[in-house]
Amino acid sequence: MRGCKDQWRCAVFSFSKKDQATGEVTERQLDDANIPAHVAIIMDGNGRWAQQRHLPRIAGHKQGMNTVKTVAKAASHLGVKVLTLYAFSTENWKRPTAEVNYLMKLPVDFFGTFVPDLIKNNIRVKVMGYTDQLPVATQKAVKDAIADTAECTGMVLNFALNYGGRAEIVTAVQTLAQQVQAGTLDPAAIDDAAIDDQLMTSDLGDLRDPDLLIRTSGEERLSNFMLWQVAYSEFVFTQQHWPDFDQTALEEAIYEYQQRHRRYGGLASEPEKK
Ligand code: FPP
């Protein structure tokens, strides 16, 4: 057994998984040398979580915000470098006005209470999305949180807020087309890297593409999330609704990720043929 004085670091090495049906507890070990650098999460199931408790949908979003706090700290302590959370999509405006208004207020509450904790945990806030279309108070909360955590050098907590993968690609293509039209870009020079550079993840450098994508609540679809960047991500779908997701659930998802063999279109390494 490895020596470990730090409660958080101990969590990196082992955790217990309880089978809900049988109650059987299994001890599991995480390989701390293979923690996914970029984890992206589609936080789904807030509404169903609330419905099961005969609560209004917004109660699910409120609890979901608390889960963000727990999971952000857990991911940071596990050694994740970037945690991207799908908080509001370009399609979520179709929801009832009261729900949209509540979702727009959440970043104000979240950053209003959680920024000191983020700073204590050396977590830097980033936001990707069409933020200029957000209410002024939401924009201010986001800008303040980015400025307040700018000096943090640990995990990047990246909120996708008014974000859509297709819109992101459309914007990138428009920018490249304008450069071609202006004569500053040769169409033949447009490659993967040129597109990467126009996406909202460009400032993440080598960490731009998620290694692991998690979606909670049993749905198995992308819903317009990071369509370009997840080309080689490993997907883990969990049954828990987002408000029930916690440190153990994150560790289980990372454990599942660690059992996968990533080949990026190549072949699994095998002994050299003579
Ligand atoms: C999807 O569940 C969830 C959302 C559209 C909102 C996600 C937002 C949070 C978890 C809070 C974010 C916090 C901050 C700090 C911005 P759903 O409502 O579609 O659930 P359902 O599918 O069960 O109806």
Side-chain angles (χ1 to χ4, degrees), residues 15 19 51 56 63 75 94 102 112 131 135 143 164 175 200 209 228:
F15 68 99
D19 187 300
Q51 200 178 18
Q63 195 57 37
K94 294 178 200 157
Y102 189 80
T131 50
K143 276 188 197 148
T175 306
M200 295 171 182
D209 296 339
W228 173 273

Side-chain angles (χ1 to χ4, degrees), residues 18-45:
K18 188 172 178 189
D19 187 300
Q20 292 308 321
T22 63
E24 192 185 331
V25 176
T26 323
E27 280 295 318
R28 288 200 163 149
Q29 302 274 316
L30 284 184
D31 175 2
D32 59 319
N34 186 22
I35 299 294
H38 185 164
V39 176
I41 308 184
I42 301 175
M43 308 181 288
D44 198 9

Side-chain angles (χ1 to χ4, degrees), residues 33-80:
N34 186 22
I35 299 294
H38 185 164
V39 176
I41 308 184
I42 301 175
M43 308 181 288
D44 198 9
N46 291 349
R48 278 164 282 172
W49 181 92
Q51 200 178 18
Q52 283 173 355
R53 288 158 180 78
H54 308 288
L55 294 169
R57 290 178 56 81
I58 57 170
H61 296 315
K62 186 172 183 194
Q63 195 57 37
M65 180 184 81
N66 291 330
T67 302
V68 170
K69 295 181 180 180
T70 306
V71 172
K73 283 194 274 191
S76 161
H77 288 291
L78 284 164
V80 171

